[in-house]
């Protein structure tokens, strides 16, 4: 593809897709037919450059309508936004869900990540390939966030509108049917099926999932919705931040940074405007809790984001949502529409004189965009590569302005803090790890799903509740960026301090059990392949190290002898230390964790 403006023209469908997002072009400088006025002066360039952040939505618009992004379509989008084609090409090729090469309009994404690999994803792919016709493209995909129903597949059929169908647990027959006729695919089960504890009166964060109608704002309010926002307005921004600080709430995405400190640091910045970003791009293999909340209790996230915006002085929030979550997208779009219609978003929220609105931005398949600064670059229309720190996001984040970024679970924890008080919230859990925590349990258990427990329960407590199967060999805590623990270590307390003392991590809440039927070397190789594919390539330690790690694990899997194995394990340790010490962001710093734990704790290659 040429990396400059060329002679390629968009098709009518491609032009219509871009114009539906950006409006019709006003001059030939933006792609309209040339007029006499255009020969005398250029119009629209400055305004177009200010819309650079619409590059990712524009790529989605083309990909949704046609199924891939042609040179003509990219050229037209670049003209509309005055973005250099070389830069736009770099963005388009950064995301796994886009293609700049021709492909059929129907794409079938079959998950081949950890839970699905253990559930027979390889056989599923082979069976599907034997039955699919030429009009469907099969894509082996990283985690689709459907681990409680593994193996999983997602069909995307381009058109106006784009149509999607989820098959989970997927069979060859159902998946092929969904790919050939998405409208005939079986409906997804209700969100409550992913919450085995649904209806339990002791739940806090999951109390409404499976109980309220997720599309009904009235039902949400009947079950306590918007009480927290009203109390926030009664308290004022400073007191809200104090409540969050006193509660001891820390980030639930894995970094465990104190939420109140982050909010306070953003609110105190003199530079304006301030922004709020909700990170709903949960791409960690084995993680699906944020999806369940957005599908089963979407208004809770809208309310929580409004509170966070009010407390930090933000008037605009962005919800960065995984591109692989079509039902969550539909639920959140509906919730935002209803909230605006009822005065719960917009220029005067609840008549309190506070203006706030939320805009959804879809990801497109890039694990690295879960890192906060990479997410900011993605929203702004650049490649989703992490930025160097400092400056930190609370000083210069999205669009160079003070920004607070939290994930879905962290934000919805704010609601019980305000309705019940900081002291009551802090009384749950332990002194250093307060409040409830969501755990994504999958793998060799009878009842996979999202579980809610107060911090302090043991790993064994969680697994017994989920019905762990006989023959348990290992448990992966924290996802691919976490680590393995042995079957005799189930007394580990699931707190930040407890897992740290045990040489493990809570991470994003992944608890993935594996019995003796699952080949451990194959799992480790899949983890290495995942990090190799997801590395953005910006820094050498990660770009080279993830490749060398995969190569060494592949050789170990071939069983070339004890002496060769010793050399490869020594190489793995050296590469792992280099990635951990010198990588720019958490992806490279944690890419060796699971492999190291499997070698040292499980004796994976002995």
């Amino acid at each position: 593809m040429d990396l400059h403006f060329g002679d390629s023209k968009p098709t009518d469908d491609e032009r219509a897709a871009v114009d539906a997002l950006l409006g019709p072009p006003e001059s030939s400088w933006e792609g309209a037919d040339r007029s006499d006025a255009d020969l005398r002066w250029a119009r629209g360039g400055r305004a177009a450059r200010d819309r650079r952040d619409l590059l990712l939505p524009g790529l989605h618009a083309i990909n949704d309508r046609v199924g891939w992004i042609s040179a003509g379509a990219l050229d037209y989008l670049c003209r509309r936004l005055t973005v250099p084609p070389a830069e736009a090409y770099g963005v388009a090729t950064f995301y796994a869900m886009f293609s700049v090469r021709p492909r059929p309009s129907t794409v079938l994404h079959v998950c081949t990540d950890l839970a699905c690999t253990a559930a027979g994803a390889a056989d599923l792919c082979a069976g599907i390939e034997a039955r699919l016709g030429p009009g469907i493209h099969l894509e082996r995909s990283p985690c689709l966030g459907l681990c409680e129903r593994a193996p999983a597949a997602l069909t995307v059929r381009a058109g106006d509108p784009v149509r999607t169908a989820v098959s989970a647990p997927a069979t060859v027959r159902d998946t092929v049917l969904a790919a050939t006729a998405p409208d005939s695919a079986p409906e997804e089960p209700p969100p409550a099926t992913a919450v085995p504890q649904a209806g339990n009166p002791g739940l806090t964060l999951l109390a409404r999932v499976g109980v309220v109608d997720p599309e009904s704002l009235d039902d949400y309010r009947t079950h306590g919705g918007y009480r927290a926002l009203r109390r926030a307005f009664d308290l004022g921004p400073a007191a809200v931040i104090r409540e969050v600080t006193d509660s001891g709430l820390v980030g639930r995405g894995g970094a465990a940074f104190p939420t109140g400190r982050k909010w306070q640091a953003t609110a105190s910045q003199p530079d304006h405007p301030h922004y709020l970003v909700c990170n709903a791009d949960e791409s960690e293999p084995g993680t699906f809790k944020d999806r369940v909340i957005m599908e089963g209790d979407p208004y809770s996230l809208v309310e929580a984001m409004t509170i966070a915006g009010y407390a930090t002085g933000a008037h605009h929030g962005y919800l960065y949502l995984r591109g692989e979550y079509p039902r969550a997208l539909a639920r959140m779009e509906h919730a935002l529409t209803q909230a605006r219609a009822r005065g719960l978003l917009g220029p005067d929220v609840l008549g309190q004189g506070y203006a706030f609105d939320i805009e959804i931005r879809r990801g497109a398949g890039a694990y690295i965009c879960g890192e906060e600064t990479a997410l900011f670059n993605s929203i702004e229309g650049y490649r989703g590569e992490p930025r160097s720190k400092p400056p930190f996001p609370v000083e210069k984040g999205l669009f160079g302005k003070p920004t607070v970024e939290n994930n879905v679970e962290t934000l919805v924890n704010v609601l019980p803090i305000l309705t019940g008080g900081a002291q009551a919230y802090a009384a749950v859990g332990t002194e250093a790890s307060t409040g409830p925590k969501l755990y994504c349990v999958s793998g060799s258990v009878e009842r996979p799903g999202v579980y809610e427990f107060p911090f302090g329960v043991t790993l064994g407590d969680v697994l017994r509740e989920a019905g762990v199967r006989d023959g348990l060999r290992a448990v992966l805590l924290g996802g691919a960026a976490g680590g393995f623990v042995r079957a005799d270590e189930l007394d580990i307390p699931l707190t930040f301090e407890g897992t740290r003392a045990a040489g493990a991590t809570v991470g994003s809440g992944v608890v993935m059990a594996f019995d003796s039927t699952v080949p451990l070397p194959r799992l480790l190789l899949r983890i290495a392949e995942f990090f190799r594919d997801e590395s953005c390539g910006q820094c050498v330690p990660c770009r080279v190290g993830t490749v060398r790690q995969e190569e060494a694990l592949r050789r170990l899997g071939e069983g070339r002898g004890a002496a060769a194995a010793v050399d490869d394990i020594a190489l793995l340790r050296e590469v792992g230390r280099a990635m951990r010490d010198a990588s720019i962001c958490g992806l490279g710093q944690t890419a060796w964790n699971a492999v190291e734990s499997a070698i040292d704790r499980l004796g994976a290659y002995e």
Side-chain angles (χ1 to χ4, degrees), residues 50 53-54 57 274-280 301 305 314-321 336 356-362 375-376 379-380 398-399 403-406 411:
D50 289 340
D53 64 296
L54 293 179
H274 295 179
Y275 289 105
L276 168 71
V277 174
C278 174
N279 184 348
L301 181 57
M305 288 184 68
H315 296 282
H316 197 90
Y318 288 91
L319 173 60
Y320 190 91
L321 201 157
L336 294 178
F356 183 74
D357 210 340
I358 298 170
E359 184 176 347
I360 296 178
R361 290 298 173 90
R362 293 162 59 196
L375 187 156
F376 299 156
I379 291 176
E380 292 177 18
L398 186 64
F399 304 117
T403 304
V404 61
E405 181 265 354
N406 294 119
L411 286 167

Side-chain angles (χ1 to χ4, degrees), residues 35-46:
S35 68
D36 292 341
D38 293 333
L39 299 177
R40 294 192 291 274
W41 67 83
R43 294 179 292 161
R46 182 181 298 276

Side-chain angles (χ1 to χ4, degrees), residues 513-528:
F514 298 102
D515 59 27
S516 55
T517 65
V518 179
L520 190 57
R522 181 67 193 92
L523 284 181
L524 298 180
L525 180 58
R526 180 65 192 98
I527 290 173

Side-chain angles (χ1 to χ4, degrees), residues 4 53 63 65 106 117 120 125 148 187 222 253 287-288 296 337 373 387 403 429 450 459 526 529:
H4 54 78
D53 64 296
N63 199 71
R65 184 73 67 95
T106 299
T117 290
C125 286
E148 83 280 15
E187 290 188 8
T222 299
T287 311
F288 49 94
T337 299
T373 60
R387 305 172 184 174
T403 304
V450 179
L459 175 58
R526 180 65 192 98
E529 291 171 346

Side-chain angles (χ1 to χ4, degrees), residues 84-175:
E87 292 186 19
Y89 180 83
V91 173
T93 54
F94 187 82
Y95 298 98
M97 297 188 76
F98 296 150
S99 175
V100 295
R101 294 181 176 84
R103 66 180 181 186
S105 60
T106 299
V107 179
L108 175 58
H109 302 270
V110 178
C111 178
T112 58
D113 236 313
L114 304 180
C116 290
T117 290
D123 291 339
L124 177 65
C125 286
I128 291 171
E129 284 182 319
R131 295 184 56 178
L132 277 185
I136 299 172
H137 176 72
L138 176 65
E139 191 81 40
R140 286 169 171 79
S141 169
C143 185
L144 294 174
L146 294 161
C147 312
E148 83 280 15
R149 291 184 273 149
L154 169 67
T155 298
V156 181
R157 174 170 287 188
D160 185 21
V162 62
R163 288 180 292 170
T164 61
V166 169
S167 304
T171 64
V172 173
R173 178 184 177 278
D174 289 345
T175 306

Side-chain angles (χ1 to χ4, degrees), residues 528-546:
E529 291 171 346
F530 172 80
F531 281 113
R532 178 210 63 202
D533 290 341
E534 298 296 339
S535 172
C536 73
Q538 182 179 197
C539 67
V540 173
C542 180
R543 182 176 70 239
V544 177
T546 53

Side-chain angles (χ1 to χ4, degrees), residues 8-21 23-25 31 33 61-66 68 70-74 76-77 80 159-160:
S8 300
K9 301 296 182 184
T11 65
D12 290 342
D13 272 349
E14 292 166 342
R15 183 184 291 269
V18 174
D19 290 350
L21 175 71
D33 295 334
I62 298 167
N63 199 71
D64 286 349
R65 184 73 67 95
V66 182
W68 68 288
S70 71
L74 189 68
Y76 181 63
L77 180 60
R80 294 299 316 273
D160 185 21

